[in-house]
Amino acid sequence: MFEKILFIDRDGTLISEPKKSFQVDNFKKLIFEPNVITTLSILKKNHYKFVMITNQDGLGSKQFPLHKFNLVHNFMLDVFLSQGIKFKDILICPHTLQNNCICRKPQITMLKSWLKEGLLDKNNSYVIGDRQTDMELAKNMNITGIQYGKNISWNDIQKKLIKKNRTSSIFRQTKETKVHVELNLDNYKNSFIDTKIKFLDHMLEQIAIHSNIYLKIYSEGDWKTDDHHTVEDIGIVLGKALKQAIGNKLGINRFGFFTLPMDESIASCILDISGRPHVSFYATFKYQKIGDLSTEMIEHFFQSLSYSMNITIHLNAIGKNDHHIAESLFKAFGRSLKQAIIIKGNKLPTSKGML
């Protein structure tokens, strides 16, 4: 199983680096970087794991005895562990640059076990350090580097990593349909939607545009016979994909509500990412179909999405033109979803302690 790993430098990144000696060999020199513990605690909840990798020049020499290093280093680890932060591996090069060793960063010798095929999620793993050698290490590992320092704080890193990784990919196959949904909640680009039902494609595009998310939806199935299975299963898979991408819901706005017009029609959506599925739907259509989509399947789509995503949705619309009524409903849902998934902090938005 691929893992999201942060390969983190020690001195200058986790703890401050003394300006004169560069060696943290007594407790007076041990100073944790601002917000590092809080950030790592949050990133742990977002399924990141941690590996420490550090160059400790001359470790074990008379100038830098091992016992002095261990006293401070082990105390630092105990502080992290008291907050639930554990490093899966601690990699230390004790050599100086003049030793011309094979293990010193930015070389990857110490990391060979972590670079085995099928272990590392390279798209969502990072090297974090304060020096250019850390960025060179990231390049040698073929992953992204984040240079901690004056312009990037641990709070910045937290926001960047949580936001960047709200993605999902869900594939579902039954005897009736095959549906694949990929999405990204935070990196909008032109979506790709091919459900074989053209009007449904148009409606799903409204969700993508107005919620400002990237959607890739592809389906195959018995749509030529009837659109029921395709619409239902796309609702199910899209709901699961949204639920997976939102993750543990830490910091999300949770609620979304929007009313908008489309010519003579007006639609409203109120939603709650509550962990409880419920749909209230009020809209009347004159005809059985809009293009190649059955109008009765519009409500069923939102029901399927609600129950797979575990959210509450209230939708209502009035108007004279069926196309306008339908499109305004999907636009209103998209706008409400955009409000609800915004991250505004790091707390769970509920008094119950769970959603």
Side-chain angles (χ1 to χ4, degrees):
M1 181 179 177
F2 291 112
E3 293 186 306
K4 299 192 298 185
I5 307 291
L6 301 182
F7 299 91
I8 310 175
D9 175 50
R10 198 189 82 144
D11 302 353
T13 305
L14 291 170
I15 58 175
S16 298
E17 185 173 61
K19 292 182 179 180
K20 293 183 179 180
S21 67
F22 300 107
Q23 296 171 348
V24 184
D25 53 7
N26 65 64
F27 289 108
K28 291 181 180 179
K29 295 180 180 179
L30 179 61
I31 302 172
F32 288 87
E33 285 293 302
N35 301 307
V36 63
I37 292 176
T38 306
T39 295
L40 292 184
S41 297
I42 292 168
L43 292 176
K44 177 190 171 186
K45 292 177 181 178
N46 283 268
H47 311 295
Y48 281 99
K49 296 178 181 178
F50 312 122
V51 171
M52 187 188 305
I53 178 165
T54 176
N55 294 336
Q56 294 292 325
D57 290 18
L59 181 60
S61 66
K62 289 182 179 180
Q63 293 76 25
F64 194 11
L66 190 61
H67 72 275
K68 286 188 176 181
F69 171 83
N70 283 337
L71 277 174
V72 182
H73 182 75
N74 291 336
F75 179 78
M76 176 196 71
L77 294 178
D78 287 342
V79 173
F80 278 121
L81 192 58
S82 71
Q83 302 303 309
I85 301 164
K86 184 176 181 180
F87 293 88
K88 288 183 68 68
D89 205 353
I90 298 173
L91 307 170
I92 301 173
C93 171
H95 306 107
T96 64
L97 185 61
Q98 290 72 29
N99 291 138
N100 198 27
C101 67
I102 62 170
C103 55
R104 185 181 177 86
K105 291 187 295 183
Q107 298 186 73
I108 62 173
T109 305
M110 292 193 293
L111 293 160
K112 283 187 176 179
S113 63
W114 289 100
L115 297 176
K116 290 180 181 178
E117 190 70 28
L119 176 63
L120 193 63
D121 180 354
K122 288 193 172 184
N123 290 325
N124 296 305
S125 294
Y126 301 83
V127 173
I128 301 174
D130 64 316
R131 293 176 180 265
Q132 184 58 36
T133 50
D134 296 305
M135 301 305 98
E136 293 171 12
L137 176 66
K139 184 178 180 181
N140 292 338
M141 295 173 67
N142 196 28
I143 62 176
T144 301
I146 301 174
Q147 191 159 3
Y148 174 80
K150 292 181 180 179
N151 297 322
I152 299 182
S153 68
W154 274 107
N155 283 340
D156 295 329
I157 291 171
Q158 173 197 318
K159 292 175 184 177
K160 177 182 177 68
L161 297 192
I162 292 177
K163 183 175 181 180
K164 182 176 176 62
N165 288 282
R166 294 203 303 170
T167 62
S168 63
S169 178
I170 303 286
F171 177 78
R172 182 176 188 262
Q173 181 173 354
T174 70
K175 291 181 179 180
E176 297 157 343
T177 65
K178 293 180 184 178
V179 179
H180 185 201
V181 173
E182 294 180 16
L183 59 84
N184 188 320
L185 300 184
D186 304 294
N187 185 17
Y188 178 77
K189 56 184 178 180
N190 289 334
S191 295
F192 171 84
I193 300 170
D194 181 9
T195 68
K196 309 300 185 296
I197 302 171
K198 296 302 180 183
F199 192 77
L200 180 61
D201 292 352
H202 182 43
M203 294 300 99
L204 294 172
E205 185 182 24
Q206 303 311 309
I207 293 178
I209 290 171
H210 291 280
S211 62
N212 202 40
I213 67 176
Y214 167 70
L215 273 182
K216 182 179 180 181
I217 302 177
Y218 182 81
S219 70
E220 296 178 0
D222 58 358
W223 55 273
K224 289 184 178 180
T225 303
D226 183 77
D227 60 1
H228 184 100
H229 296 141
T230 296
V231 176
E232 178 180 78
D233 289 358
I234 287 171
I236 291 170
V237 180
L238 179 57
K240 287 182 178 179
L242 286 166
K243 182 179 180 181
Q244 184 181 90
I246 291 168
N248 59 20
K249 304 175 186 175
L250 285 174
I252 64 167
N253 199 43
R254 176 179 167 179
F255 300 101
F257 36 89
F258 211 89
T259 299
L260 55 80
M262 185 169 180
D263 297 349
E264 87 298 337
S265 66
I266 299 175
S268 297
C269 177
I270 303 171
L271 66 82
D272 177 8
I273 303 177
S274 59
R276 302 182 299 275
H278 176 80
V279 175
S280 293
F281 185 93
Y282 302 97
T284 302
F285 299 98
K286 293 180 182 179
Y287 302 103
Q288 291 184 342
K289 280 184 173 289
I290 309 173
D292 53 354
L293 176 67
S294 301
T295 50
E296 67 176 359
M297 291 309 301
I298 294 173
E299 178 179 0
H300 192 62
F301 167 81
F302 287 109
Q303 287 176 335
S304 300
L305 186 148
S306 166
Y307 276 79
S308 64
M309 192 178 171
N310 285 337
I311 65 171
T312 297
I313 307 173
H314 292 263
L315 277 164
N316 63 79
I318 58 173
K320 297 178 180 179
N321 182 290
D322 283 0
H323 185 132
H324 293 169
I325 294 170
E327 188 165 339
S328 60
L329 283 167
F330 280 84
K331 286 178 176 177
F333 174 79
R335 290 280 169 166
S336 300
L337 181 64
K338 180 181 179 181
Q339 286 184 7
I341 63 177
I342 289 174
I343 294 177
K344 291 194 170 182
N346 54 32
K347 295 181 180 178
L348 201 62
T350 177
S351 60
K352 295 185 177 186
M354 63 178 293
L355 275 176

